[in-house]
Amino acid sequence: MNQYMEKTEQALVHTYNRFPVVLERGEDVYLYDTEGKKYLDFAAGIAVCGLGYGNEELNQALKAQIDKLTHTSNLFYNTTCGKAAEALKGISEMDRVFFTNSGTEAIEGALKAARKYAYKKGTGRFEFIAMEHSFHGRSMGAVSVTGNEHYRTPFEPVIPGVKFAEFNNLDSVKALVSDKTCGVILEPLQGEGGIHMADPEFMKGIRRLCDEEGILMICDEIQCGMGRTGSMFAWQSYGTKPDIMAMAKAIGSGVPVGAFAMTEETARYSLEPGDHGTTYGGNPFACAAVAKTIEIFERENLVSHVKEVGAYLEEQLNALAEASGEILERRGTGLIQGIKIKRSVGEVINEALKEGLILISAGENVIRLVPPLIITEEHVDEMLHILRKIL
Ligand SMILES: *Cc1c(COP(=O)(O)O)cnc(C)c1O
């Protein structure tokens, strides 16, 4: 253990088992540690750094904003908030945006927005239907809708009125619907839970069910959104527009920012002045990151790039799965892929790290591949060369 690791371990609450690597800088899709060792990054800071590292245009925009103004509070307008919100509205097809500081807070806000909607309409609805194996964050509200007992149990009682359905089983959702159901919350592609994609019939069925029963559909696009699946947001490939959606991770390219957004119809009956707030959320610095990130995504046509390079990654992983008896299943789409392996995931990840490749896990024995969205086929080949050797 070197000085950096020691200081960290001695000062922080012990909530993480970290890899014995101290990262110092990044360039393109590579990270470098304090020893100067180079790593090909297939984790992107957990699906955050879509533009990779050291994007000159983004960095210049952030530096310029720092020199002007970083924070104002939401009691005032600022020069970047409207621009970022307008850009986010455009790509999300939503009508109203609320900026938060994280994904968890975006979920909290989305849940509150749904509860307020029911309250104002006077329906008496307050229950949420969430999915098994889902992940929505760690605050009391977000953990209440997270379908993983490991994350929830130590903090019980969590907020009441949450029921869990089986992902991709519409009947199991229908069975939980009552006249108290306020919202159905789901990730169109479960990330943390092990890279599980929603079936089109399931997504369409949820949308139909919500319409019929007067329930709000809430999509958590925090991990699978922002181009990662080969659509800007995952729901767009299903044609199932949610009433409320949560975003974060890649929308600020590493600057901590999230957002929840809703349709005008939802907003009409939802949060009003005084209902919800945040000191930092939507500050000029965070919004400069969002506005510039979206500008680059659109100009560079990054979503089509993800579609192309994601198809290549998928094809190569399928070939590897066929050639090696070590892979049980490949799941996912675009640049959010998972391979379920026979061997211990921890072992494989540690061996990859030694070989200069950063991988992370998801769910049970799944290696999760969520590289920066700017990777090329050459980077995929470089990753596979190492993975093939290990497996
Ligand atoms: C990461 C994640 C969250 C939580 O976001 P934070 O920024 O860590 O608070 C919520 N939902 C999903 C799907 C995520 O992947």
Side-chain angles (χ1 to χ4, degrees):
M1 225 190 248
N2 67 30
Q3 48 156 334
Y4 304 105
M5 301 180 198
E6 251 164 40
K7 269 195 185 129
T8 307
E9 288 301 334
Q10 282 162 11
L12 290 191
V13 176
H14 193 224
T15 52
Y16 283 96
N17 290 314
R18 290 179 166 80
F19 295 114
V21 172
V22 184
L23 295 173
E24 191 170 48
R25 68 187 180 89
E27 205 181 307
D28 191 30
V29 299
Y30 295 96
L31 286 163
Y32 297 83
D33 69 15
T34 42
E35 320 272 279
K37 183 171 167 178
K38 181 180 180 182
Y39 300 85
L40 174 63
D41 180 24
F42 261 65
I46 316 189
V48 168
C49 304
L51 300 177
Y53 304 98
N55 183 294
E56 193 55 32
E57 186 183 344
L58 176 73
N59 288 358
Q60 285 306 329
L62 295 179
K63 286 175 196 170
Q65 191 58 49
I66 286 172
D67 286 338
K68 275 196 239 165
L69 191 63
T70 56
H71 180 76
T72 55
S73 91
N74 282 303
L75 300 177
F76 297 91
Y77 294 101
N78 70 58
T79 57
T80 60
C81 184
K83 193 175 170 194
E86 188 181 66
L88 207 53
K89 270 177 62 173
I91 60 170
S92 69
E93 301 180 45
M94 292 283 121
D95 300 310
R96 304 230 162 236
V97 175
F98 182 103
F99 285 110
T100 66
N101 312 292
S102 68
T104 299
E105 284 169 80
I107 294 294
E108 286 291 333
L111 297 175
K112 282 182 73 179
R115 282 264 176 102
K116 178 67 198 292
Y117 180 89
Y119 178 83
K120 197 166 177 188
K121 283 211 155 180
T123 61
R125 292 172 180 266
F126 66 94
E127 290 182 354
F128 290 103
I129 298 174
M131 301 299 143
E132 288 168 7
H133 307 295
S134 61
F135 180 81
H136 297 294
R138 312 289 199 140
S139 62
M140 289 304 274
V143 92
S144 304
V145 289
T146 288
N148 182 331
E149 283 176 21
H150 179 71
Y151 295 146
R152 226 177 39 236
T153 307
F155 309 104
E156 284 175 340
V158 292
I159 64 164
V162 180
K163 297 169 174 173
F164 291 95
E166 196 185 322
F167 192 63
N168 276 336
N169 179 344
L170 190 60
D171 287 336
S172 82
V173 180
K174 284 182 177 164
L176 299 178
V177 170
S178 78
D179 60 0
K180 293 281 173 271
T181 311
C182 165
V184 174
I185 181 166
L186 81 164
E187 299 154 85
L189 190 158
Q190 293 187 331
E192 212 65 35
I195 316 296
H196 293 281
M197 278 170 74
D199 297 331
E201 310 79 62
F202 183 65
M203 283 292 279
K204 290 195 172 93
I206 297 261
R207 182 64 274 178
R208 208 175 312 118
L209 180 68
C210 287
D211 287 339
E212 286 165 5
E213 302 281 342
I215 299 168
L216 296 172
M217 179 174 177
I218 307 169
C219 280
D220 179 344
E221 292 267 357
I222 291 167
Q223 183 159 167
C224 61
M226 217 49 207
R228 194 152 281 284
T229 62
S231 298
M232 188 60 95
F233 289 96
W235 71 260
Q236 287 163 329
S237 71
Y238 298 92
T240 52
K241 185 170 172 172
D243 302 293
I244 303 177
M245 66 187 274
M247 299 162 269
K249 291 202 164 92
I251 71 168
S253 300
V255 171
V257 51
F260 62 93
M262 53 190 129
T263 61
E264 193 65 47
E265 165 57 24
T266 313
R268 192 172 303 136
Y269 295 96
S270 193
L271 305 173
E272 296 167 285
D275 279 342
H276 196 57
T278 165
T279 299
Y280 291 133
N283 85 15
F285 182 66
C287 285
V290 173
K292 184 51 86 176
T293 297
I294 296 173
E295 185 190 326
I296 296 172
F297 261 71
E298 293 196 310
R299 195 191 55 231
E300 306 289 324
N301 221 338
L302 216 48
V303 176
S304 326
H305 172 75
V306 171
K307 224 178 222 155
E308 277 170 35
V309 72
Y312 181 73
L313 173 62
E314 189 166 320
E315 176 193 303
Q316 294 299 309
L317 287 173
N318 283 341
L320 177 64
E322 232 164 78
S324 148
E326 291 291 330
I327 299 177
L328 298 167
E329 198 186 348
R330 182 207 58 79
R331 298 198 285 254
T333 189
L335 290 179
I336 179 160
Q337 300 274 346
I339 49 173
K340 193 172 166 86
I341 59 171
K342 281 187 193 161
R343 275 181 60 191
S344 137
V345 163
E347 248 176 60
V348 171
I349 289 175
N350 281 320
E351 280 174 42
L353 211 51
K354 286 200 188 98
E355 298 284 338
L357 169 66
I358 295 180
L359 296 174
I360 52 174
S361 64
E364 255 171 57
N365 252 43
V366 175
I367 290 179
R368 164 168 42 168
L369 303 154
V370 285
L373 304 179
I374 58 166
I375 59 157
T376 63
E377 293 189 0
E378 286 70 43
H379 297 125
V380 172
D381 291 340
E382 190 183 335
M383 180 279 291
L384 282 160
H385 178 74
I386 298 172
L387 194 58
R388 211 175 278 127
K389 201 157 79 180
I390 296 169
L391 290 179

